[in-house]
Amino acid sequence: MRIGIVILPDQRWSESQRRWRQADEWGFDHAWTYDHLGWRDLVDGPWFDSMTTLTAAATVTSRIRLGTLVASPNFRHPAAFARQVTALDDVSSGRLLLGIGAGGIGFDATVLGGETLPPRQRVDRFAEFIELLDLILREDGTTWRGEWFAAVDARNNPGCVQQPRVPFVLAANGPRSMRLVAGFGQGWVTTGTSGDDLESWWSSVAELSARMDETLEKAGRDPATLDRHLSLDAAPVFSLSSADFFAEQVGRAARLGFTDVATHWPRASSWYAGDEQVLVDVATRLLPELRRA
């Protein structure tokens, strides 16, 4: 089991760089940040850009993989984003994991003056975003036109450090998005579906995992070729409520076939509020054992 940590971009770099360095030193496999222009009740800030934050993180770490959880088509265009992706993959010496989703319905969906799209259109746009970004990152001089995005002679020179391109970790719960995972993803990430209690949430995760198996089978793809990521803190209970509880949740994910999990660095209040000492305990006492799960 590979274990990751999510560090929200809600602190000035003079404060947050300690967390990225520490995650690397502790031995976490990957570290992620949110890709939003503003998020939920944290929209009033402070809040910082994901790609800039990850670039800074790349300069103060040496081994940990770095990723977006998840990049949003709400405010990104594949041609411009490809340049940022290529640059970050280069700065990090090939440590980038590119998490990508369909785009939410919150602040990001309206801040540029547009309207919130219904689910079907968001998935239509997601499909185009993935297809075009994949082309640009693999081929130099891409010309392409769809309903949502277009590119004319988009360049990727010098290309990604990771070949043929950086790994895509695609967020998916629905059937169409899962088919995109089967076609384009090196990884799949899910938050499960909302549940009133912990057990119902885990039931939803198990159901989604089985559905992904079916999707891969229909696509003729070997399930072993797909990394499966679970965001533990989408559950009704914060995964770092205690070290023992975290270990239990990692074990449950492993039994469902997940290869990777992610928890959040505890915050003082609001979302993911918790005791940082629990994270320290997990990282210094349990992490090596959990990674062998």
Side-chain angles (χ1 to χ4, degrees), residues 132 135-136 139-145 150-154:
L132 181 53
L135 281 172
I136 295 173
E139 302 176 4
D140 197 30
T142 296
T143 296
W144 190 94
R145 181 170 298 277
V152 178
D153 196 24

Side-chain angles (χ1 to χ4, degrees), residues 123-233:
V123 176
D124 290 342
R125 184 183 61 178
F126 183 35
E128 285 197 11
F129 188 92
I130 294 300
E131 182 177 352
L132 181 53
L133 183 63
D134 170 69
L135 281 172
I136 295 173
L137 290 175
R138 288 188 298 104
E139 302 176 4
D140 197 30
T142 296
T143 296
W144 190 94
R145 181 170 298 277
E147 180 182 356
W148 299 94
F149 301 105
V152 178
D153 196 24
R155 303 305 182 94
N156 76 350
N157 188 30
C160 298
V161 173
Q162 301 175 85
Q163 287 293 315
R165 57 158 169 75
V166 300
F168 286 2
V169 181
L170 303 183
N173 280 355
R176 292 179 62 205
S177 295
M178 284 189 172
R179 288 195 292 272
L180 288 174
V181 174
F184 292 94
Q186 285 65 55
W188 165 52
V189 60
T190 183
T191 56
T193 58
S194 58
D196 295 332
D197 56 63
L198 188 61
E199 291 307 313
S200 62
W201 182 78
W202 275 108
S203 293
S204 78
V205 171
E207 181 180 341
L208 289 169
S209 183
R211 194 181 303 163
M212 178 56 74
D213 286 337
E214 294 173 3
T215 302
L216 294 171
E217 182 180 355
K218 290 179 180 178
R221 178 168 174 180
D222 182 356
T225 64
L226 182 71
D227 292 336
R228 299 179 182 222
H229 296 249
L230 179 62
S231 180
L232 292 175
D233 297 327

Side-chain angles (χ1 to χ4, degrees), residues 26-44:
W26 274 333
F28 280 96
D29 294 285
H30 29 68
W32 309 80
T33 200
Y34 284 7
D35 187 50
H36 291 285
L37 299 179
W39 186 72
R40 298 191 179 182
D41 61 355
L42 304 185
V43 71
D44 293 327

Side-chain angles (χ1 to χ4, degrees), residues 39-185:
W39 186 72
R40 298 191 179 182
D41 61 355
L42 304 185
V43 71
D44 293 327
W47 195 264
F48 295 95
D49 174 71
S50 66
M51 299 300 281
T52 307
T53 296
L54 291 171
T55 301
T59 68
V60 298
T61 58
S62 60
R63 45 151 297 278
I64 196 168
R65 304 211 71 174
L66 305 169
T68 50
L69 197 70
V70 288
S72 174
N74 276 338
F75 54 88
R76 296 198 179 279
H77 188 287
F81 191 43
R83 283 302 196 191
Q84 293 178 292
V85 168
T86 302
L88 179 51
D89 193 46
D90 181 64
V91 172
S92 66
S93 299
R95 289 186 284 135
L96 177 61
L97 292 169
L98 192 60
I100 314 172
I105 60 173
F107 182 79
D108 294 342
T110 59
V111 66
L112 299 184
E115 297 181 357
T116 300
L117 298 176
R120 179 179 294 275
Q121 288 183 301
R122 291 205 306 276
V123 176
D124 290 342
R125 184 183 61 178
F126 183 35
E128 285 197 11
F129 188 92
I130 294 300
E131 182 177 352
L132 181 53
L133 183 63
D134 170 69
L135 281 172
I136 295 173
L137 290 175
R138 288 188 298 104
E139 302 176 4
D140 197 30
T142 296
T143 296
W144 190 94
R145 181 170 298 277
E147 180 182 356
W148 299 94
F149 301 105
V152 178
D153 196 24
R155 303 305 182 94
N156 76 350
N157 188 30
C160 298
V161 173
Q162 301 175 85
Q163 287 293 315
R165 57 158 169 75
V166 300
F168 286 2
V169 181
L170 303 183
N173 280 355
R176 292 179 62 205
S177 295
M178 284 189 172
R179 288 195 292 272
L180 288 174
V181 174
F184 292 94

